[in-house]
């Protein structure tokens, strides 16, 4: 697992997204001044799965370093729940999710509808819906479909697009937003 790469998300875009809520959530650490300047000393992710009943609420990045155990928990949580297959989740996607959540200024955790998808699951979903891509970034562990009860699809999508970190799909009819760390683009309504 790697940190931010130049292939889809700039460090400046991520830091800008985290800086938007830095003052409100600044911890009392010895170098909190760096965090207040937009350095982003902590990153936190909060999610639950309606399918498995599992929940996570954790800091997964502190002072420039991903926390290995936390990253492993996030990866397991975002597994293909249909067959329990696990794939490393691209941390750029988790960073987009966390930054978007911060921008939305909510305490409610995301409901994760889909994280990693195995080829078998993706093929099954494609057979049922034209909206599932053959080469979906879910297959690479680079995408998540998310919902918040307290925010609209448009609000969530705008927050994700403000990160300039990847793809953002609006699925208003199904009440969820797709976030990925691929090319910066948006679709849906």
């Amino acid at each position: 697992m790697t940190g931010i790469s130049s292939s889809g998300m700039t460090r400046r875009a991520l830091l800008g997204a985290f800086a938007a809520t830095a003052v409100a959530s600044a911890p009392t650490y010895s170098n909190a001044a760096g965090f207040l300047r937009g350095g982003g000393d902590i990153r936190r992710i909060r999610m639950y799965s309606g399918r498995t009943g599992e929940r996570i609420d954790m800091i997964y990045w502190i002072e420039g370093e991903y926390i290995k155990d936390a990253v492993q928990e996030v990866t397991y949580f975002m597994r293909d729940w249909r067959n329990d297959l696990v794939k490393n989740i691209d941390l750029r996607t988790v960073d987009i999710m966390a930054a978007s959540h911060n921008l939305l200024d909510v305490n409610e955790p995301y409901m994760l509808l889909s994280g990693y998808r195995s080829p078998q699951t993706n093929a099954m979903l494609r057979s049922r819906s034209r909206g599932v891509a053959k080469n979906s970034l879910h297959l690479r562990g680079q995408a998540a479909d998310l919902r918040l009860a307290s925010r609209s699809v448009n609000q969530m999508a705008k927050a994700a697009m403000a990160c300039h970190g990847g793809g953002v799909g609006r699925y208003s009819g199904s009440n969820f937003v797709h976030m990925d760390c691929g090319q910066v683009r948006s679709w849906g309504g």
Side-chain angles (χ1 to χ4, degrees):
M1 293 190 213
T2 61
I4 302 165
S5 76
S6 61
S7 65
M9 179 182 312
T10 65
R11 184 168 182 80
R12 178 171 289 165
L14 258 183
L15 291 176
F18 279 104
T21 58
V23 174
S25 61
T28 309
Y29 291 122
S30 60
N31 70 344
F35 189 71
L36 294 173
R37 287 193 305 268
D41 285 334
I42 65 166
R43 296 181 190 165
R44 177 180 181 186
I45 191 72
R46 293 181 297 245
M47 294 185 283
Y48 74 96
S49 169
R51 305 290 186 178
T52 66
E54 297 168 336
R55 294 180 170 273
I56 60 171
D57 182 348
M58 67 182 57
I59 293 172
Y60 66 93
W61 190 92
I62 296 177
E63 298 179 359
E65 298 290 329
Y66 290 99
I67 302 166
K68 183 180 177 183
D69 290 343
V71 167
Q72 289 174 339
E73 280 192 57
V74 171
T75 290
Y76 181 76
F77 180 85
M78 293 181 70
R79 73 192 179 280
D80 185 332
W81 59 269
R82 289 174 178 86
N83 55 24
D84 275 341
L85 293 177
V86 176
K87 182 170 184 77
N88 288 342
I89 300 300
D90 193 312
L91 296 174
R92 295 173 299 168
T93 298
V94 179
D95 287 339
I96 294 165
M97 294 162 51
S100 300
H101 199 261
N102 284 344
L103 290 172
L104 290 164
D105 192 29
V106 295
N107 288 324
E108 172 193 359
Y110 283 125
M111 173 189 266
L112 177 70
L113 303 174
S114 183
Y116 167 65
R117 280 190 211 142
S118 66
Q120 300 84 355
T121 293
N122 204 66
M124 179 270 297
L125 292 172
R126 273 183 55 76
S127 73
R128 296 179 180 179
S129 171
R130 293 179 301 151
V132 177
K134 182 177 183 178
N135 295 313
S136 170
L137 291 178
H138 287 279
L139 292 163
R140 298 184 208 162
Q142 295 182 323
D145 295 338
L146 305 161
R147 178 180 294 152
L148 286 171
S150 64
R151 297 293 185 265
S152 70
V153 166
N154 283 336
Q155 289 170 319
M156 288 179 63
K158 285 179 185 178
M161 287 186 289
C163 296
H164 304 287
V168 179
R170 289 180 173 129
Y171 292 89
S172 296
S174 300
N175 190 30
F176 74 87
V177 172
H178 169 98
M179 297 180 196
D180 68 52
C181 64
Q183 292 181 343
V184 176
R185 67 215 186 285
S186 62
W187 65 92

